[in-house]
Amino acid sequence: MFTDKAIFSNAQAITASGNTTSTNYVDTEVAASNIGGGTPLWLVCRVNTAFTDATSGALTVTLNTCATSNGTYVVLATGRIYSVGLLVKGLDLLTIPLPVDNLRYLGMTYANTVGSGFTAGNVDAFLCSQPPRN
């Protein structure tokens, strides 16, 4: 049950090349939960610590869903690609109302789409009950 917010990542370091999954996933505890219906929940994913990279990296984030915790996740929503120069503290990478059609488990993927890995950079990602303020 959601009371205020459910956390996928809390200052999670994103330094590997390729894909990094969120530290946590959200278990809605109901198959085919579709928890985005009714009063909307908001997905907020933003830069907590600025990113640096020696090879001009780029980052994109996705919200994923799956029927089982260790199954194959499918994409619900994808953010745009941000070059390392844009990845400054406070940048909203993906902030949207939670899509309605989702399965029991929700998680995030952070993809370094260019380069060999970031040398620094952290993200926060969570669900909350109120629209985020800038």
Side-chain angles (χ1 to χ4, degrees):
M1 184 86 187
F2 292 101
T3 55
D4 184 37
K5 65 180 172 179
I7 299 172
F8 296 104
S9 299
N10 184 11
Q12 182 176 348
I14 310 297
T15 54
S17 60
N19 293 338
T20 301
T21 56
S22 55
T23 305
N24 305 307
Y25 60 85
V26 172
D27 180 357
T28 66
E29 299 182 3
V30 178
S33 66
N34 300 325
I35 62 171
T39 303
L41 293 174
W42 288 84
L43 168 67
V44 177
C45 180
R46 64 176 50 128
V47 175
N48 177 293
T49 303
F51 281 69
T52 58
D53 186 348
T55 60
S56 301
L59 180 72
T60 189
V61 300
T62 58
L63 171 66
N64 309 299
T65 190
C66 188
T68 61
S69 63
N70 293 322
T72 302
Y73 281 75
V74 295
V75 174
L76 277 177
T78 302
R80 61 172 276 206
I81 298 172
Y82 290 95
S83 64
V84 70
L86 297 174
L87 296 169
V88 298
K89 182 177 177 68
L91 174 71
D92 282 330
L93 298 166
L94 183 62
T95 299
I96 58 171
L98 186 66
V100 174
D101 295 324
N102 51 67
L103 302 171
R104 178 174 174 169
Y105 296 91
L106 300 167
M108 300 292 295
T109 301
Y110 311 103
N112 182 355
T113 57
V114 179
S116 59
F118 297 105
T119 53
N122 295 7
V123 297
D124 294 330
F126 53 89
L127 296 176
C128 60
S129 59
Q130 299 294 316
R133 298 175 192 235
N134 290 339

